[in-house]
């Protein structure tokens, strides 16, 4: 009941209530951000110095605050934040790719002016004001993945990105598949198909089968 009351208050603009909702899950969000950065660095989407897990977690929480009225029905705040993490990383990767393509076109062109923001959402994707809570300051645990987690992540690098997202939500973060599907904007049959595809890729042949 307290979480529901905090969420309703956050929807009305209460940042303290929003912080009360997200603070207990900061460690998980930080570790999920670390996982996503390791993955995208490994496949060449990002450089190792492009972004820190703390910065990425902060971007996700800014997006969550801005998009809080868009949380899909039937999706808990935890699953919603994890799905937002995937979307934020995808946006950053696309932005980096555009920047690199522009840089290859001409290294001698004049530096472009700062972007003109047409709406609040675009503005917040680029800028975190100083008065906002710096979420990275409250994240204390900076431990890396365990060997088992690292091995599992290595397997998921071969997956289609959407199948990987379904697999991570359902198998790694233990989000029920119907909720994972809603969080990712997929139908349940589509999510089930992608999860089955991921299982075939990730799990060794014959694992879990009985004679």
């Amino acid at each position: 009941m307290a979480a529901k009351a905090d969420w309703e208050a956050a929807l009305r603009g209460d940042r303290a209530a929003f912080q009360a909702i997200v603070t207990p899950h900061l460690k998980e969000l930080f570790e999920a951000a670390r996982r996503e950065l390791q993955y995208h660095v490994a496949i060449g989407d990002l450089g190792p110095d492009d972004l820190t897990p703390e910065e990425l977690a902060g971007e996700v929480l800014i997006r969550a605050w801005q998009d809080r009225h868009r949380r899909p029905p039937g999706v808990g705040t935890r699953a919603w934040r994890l799905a937002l993490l995937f979307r934020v990383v995808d946006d950053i990767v696309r932005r980096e790719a555009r920047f690199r393509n522009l840089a290859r076109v001409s290294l001698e062109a004049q530096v472009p002016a700062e972007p003109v923001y047409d709406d609040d959402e675009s503005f917040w994707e680029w800028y975190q004001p100083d008065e906002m809570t710096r979420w990275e300051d409250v994240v204390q645990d900076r431990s890396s993945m365990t060997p088992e987690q690292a091995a599992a992540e290595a397997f998921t690098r071969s997956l289609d990105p959407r199948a990987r997202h379904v697999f991570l939500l359902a198998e790694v973060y233990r989000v029920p598949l119907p909720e994972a599907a809603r969080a990712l904007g997929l139908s349940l049959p589509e999510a089930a198909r992608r999860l089955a595809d991921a299982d075939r890729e990730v799990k060794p042949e014959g694992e879990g089968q009985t004679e």
Side-chain angles (χ1 to χ4, degrees):
M1 294 297 295
K4 182 178 179 181
D6 282 339
W7 181 252
E8 290 174 351
L11 289 177
R12 295 192 297 269
D14 187 335
R15 292 187 180 185
F18 181 79
Q19 184 172 349
I21 294 169
V22 301
T23 297
H25 303 285
L26 284 178
K27 180 179 178 180
E28 180 183 55
L29 180 61
F30 175 79
E31 293 299 337
R34 182 190 296 276
R35 177 191 293 272
E36 289 306 295
L37 289 178
Q38 288 176 329
Y39 166 74
H40 284 283
V41 169
I43 65 174
D45 287 340
L46 296 171
D49 299 322
D50 284 348
L51 198 65
T52 68
E54 295 94 337
E55 289 168 340
L56 177 55
E59 290 284 339
V60 173
L61 291 170
I62 291 170
R63 182 77 66 87
W65 172 256
Q66 290 297 302
D67 287 0
R68 63 194 186 280
H69 294 283
R70 302 177 188 175
R71 177 163 67 98
V75 176
T77 56
R78 175 177 174 265
W80 175 63
R81 281 192 301 273
L82 291 168
L84 274 180
L85 169 64
F86 300 148
R87 286 196 284 275
V88 169
V89 174
D90 286 346
D91 288 348
I92 291 172
V93 167
R94 284 193 294 269
R95 190 171 69 199
E96 288 298 313
R98 287 196 299 268
F99 176 80
R100 290 169 184 168
N101 288 336
L102 288 173
R104 283 196 294 267
V105 169
S106 175
L107 296 178
E108 298 179 357
Q110 291 184 347
V111 176
E114 292 188 6
V116 175
Y117 301 106
D118 296 325
D119 54 72
D120 288 343
E121 184 174 351
S122 298
F123 176 82
W124 280 80
E125 287 178 1
W126 283 82
Y127 177 68
Q128 180 176 356
D130 291 339
E131 63 268 18
M132 286 287 289
T133 301
R134 293 184 179 276
W135 296 101
E136 62 266 30
D137 293 338
V138 302
V139 180
Q140 300 296 326
D141 189 342
R142 294 171 179 266
S143 61
S144 60
M145 288 184 187
T146 65
E148 293 78 10
Q149 289 173 323
E153 181 56 39
F155 277 118
T156 67
R157 290 174 191 165
S158 64
L159 297 177
D160 169 82
R162 293 291 272 173
R164 178 178 176 274
H165 292 165
V166 175
F167 178 83
L168 287 176
L169 281 185
E171 297 290 340
V172 176
Y173 300 116
R174 299 300 180 186
V175 175
L177 186 58
E179 184 181 3
R182 288 191 291 269
L184 295 170
L186 300 173
S187 67
L188 183 56
E190 175 70 6
R193 182 183 68 78
R194 290 180 182 273
L195 181 59
D197 291 344
D199 284 339
R200 283 193 292 270
E201 287 285 338
V202 173
K203 295 178 180 179
E205 184 175 355
E207 182 179 317
Q209 297 179 0
T210 59
E211 294 183 357

